[in-house]
Amino acid sequence: MATTRQGPYFCGIDAAMDVVSGKWKVLILWELHHHGTRRFAELRRGLPGVSEKMLVQHLRELEEDGLVHRKVYAEVPPKVEYRLTEHGVALNTALEPLGTWGTERMRRIGATKVPVAPAPVSRQPS
Amino acid sequence: MATTRQGPYFCGIDAAMDVVSGKWKVLILWELHHHGTRRFAELRRGLPGVSEKMLVQHLRELEEDGLVHRKVYAEVPPKVEYRLTEHGVALNTALEPLGTWGTERMRRIGATKVPVAPAPVSRQPS
DNA sequence: CAGTATCCATTAAGATACTG
DNA sequence: CAGTATCTTAATGGATACTG
């Protein structure tokens, strides 16, 4: 269950890669970075294809690693909000050059973007 | 066998993470970055714990992704040199802030460094 | 030296179904 | 709504023996 990872590491990049390895982790960080705060279901919708299990698991690990803060409201129905911690914000900043490089690479190899789930047209909530 | 990965991706970071996902990839990049050029056996020694299979596999993928150049010398015994391509160098540069963040994180959590294989004391080559 | 080829173990991820 | 609990499959990594 990915017990608290704490090295040993070869170097800083190794240590950083450790906390972001997981299929959806950087995307969760990205999502939180751009929305400031997100609820569980919002994250789920923002990450088309993620399963509940993986989303929870990644969120828990990110929380454990001190990158994400989880705020539970004592309400019914339940309400939980996630946001980046100071360290999470710093990580995101450190990831930006990598994002730029990746965008350039996508252009080079002609990679497609993942199809964005079209907002359901019919069936609007009344 | 990790057929040519080319998306689709959610974003640039996603695309970048794709090419560096693999237990030893960033370490290979790092090693090549700091030595300029390395032979297979040198990389192997520089990455204590890596198996031949993983090293070859990662090198092939990095080559396929255009990050590493492989130069074969027509000699006996065989000699192969690896070095970063222009894109590989750019990726390494983009990884630097992440490395800084990771180093800071290691300090914060008191992570240890992986034990460096001690250079064999006896048995020096004549 | 620089790899291949196998086989096996571990881990990560995905699909449901169910609950406070 | 925000999760748990299981079960299954896919991907990744590792050990070892062998080769041009």
Side-chain angles (χ1 to χ4, degrees), chain A residues 5 15-26 29 62 65 67 91 95, chain B residues 17 98 101:
Chain A
R5 292 142 292 136
M17 290 300 299
D18 189 14
V19 305
V20 295
S21 67
K23 190 167 177 180
W24 307 90
K25 284 196 181 172
V26 296
L29 295 176
L62 290 170
D65 287 334
L67 307 179
L91 173 54
L95 280 170
Chain B
M17 289 300 297
L98 193 62
W101 183 90

Side-chain angles (χ1 to χ4, degrees), chain A residues 69-87:
Chain A
H69 178 77
R70 178 169 175 267
K71 182 170 185 181
V72 183
Y73 292 83
E75 300 180 1
V76 174
K79 176 176 171 181
V80 176
E81 279 182 353
Y82 294 92
R83 62 173 177 80
L84 293 182
T85 65
E86 166 189 9
H87 295 313

Side-chain angles (χ1 to χ4, degrees), chain B residues 81-117:
Chain B
E81 279 182 354
Y82 294 91
R83 62 173 176 78
L84 293 182
T85 64
E86 167 190 6
H87 295 312
V89 172
L91 173 55
N92 236 298
T93 303
L95 280 170
E96 255 160 47
L98 193 62
T100 304
W101 183 90
T103 302
E104 173 58 18
R105 173 173 182 261
M106 286 178 69
R107 198 195 52 69
R108 268 209 318 281
I109 69 176
T112 57
K113 287 206 116 184
V114 77
V116 177

Side-chain angles (χ1 to χ4, degrees), chain B:
Chain B
M1 186 184 275
T3 49
T4 28
R5 293 142 292 134
Q6 51 181 15
Y9 300 117
F10 283 88
C11 61
I13 296 178
D14 192 18
M17 289 300 297
D18 188 14
V19 306
V20 295
S21 68
K23 191 167 176 179
W24 306 91
K25 282 196 182 173
V26 296
L27 300 175
I28 292 173
L29 294 176
W30 179 263
E31 193 77 11
L32 291 178
H33 181 63
H34 284 276
H35 291 280
T37 187
R38 293 261 95 176
R39 298 183 59 176
F40 186 82
E42 290 174 330
L43 283 171
R44 201 151 117 76
R45 279 192 292 274
L47 273 30
V50 72
S51 68
E52 293 185 339
K53 175 193 155 188
M54 290 314 299
L55 183 53
V56 171
Q57 194 175 113
H58 283 167
L59 283 169
R60 291 290 182 280
E61 290 178 12
L62 291 171
E63 190 190 355
E64 188 178 345
D65 286 334
L67 307 178
V68 161
H69 177 77
R70 178 169 176 266
K71 182 171 185 180
V72 183
Y73 292 83
E75 300 179 2
V76 175
K79 176 177 172 181
V80 176
E81 279 182 354
Y82 294 91
R83 62 173 176 78
L84 293 182
T85 64
E86 167 190 6
H87 295 312
V89 172
L91 173 55
N92 236 298
T93 303
L95 280 170
E96 255 160 47
L98 193 62
T100 304
W101 183 90
T103 302
E104 173 58 18
R105 173 173 182 261
M106 286 178 69
R107 198 195 52 69
R108 268 209 318 281
I109 69 176
T112 57
K113 287 206 116 184
V114 77
V116 177
V121 281
S122 50
R123 174 133 334 260
Q124 243 123 12
S126 47

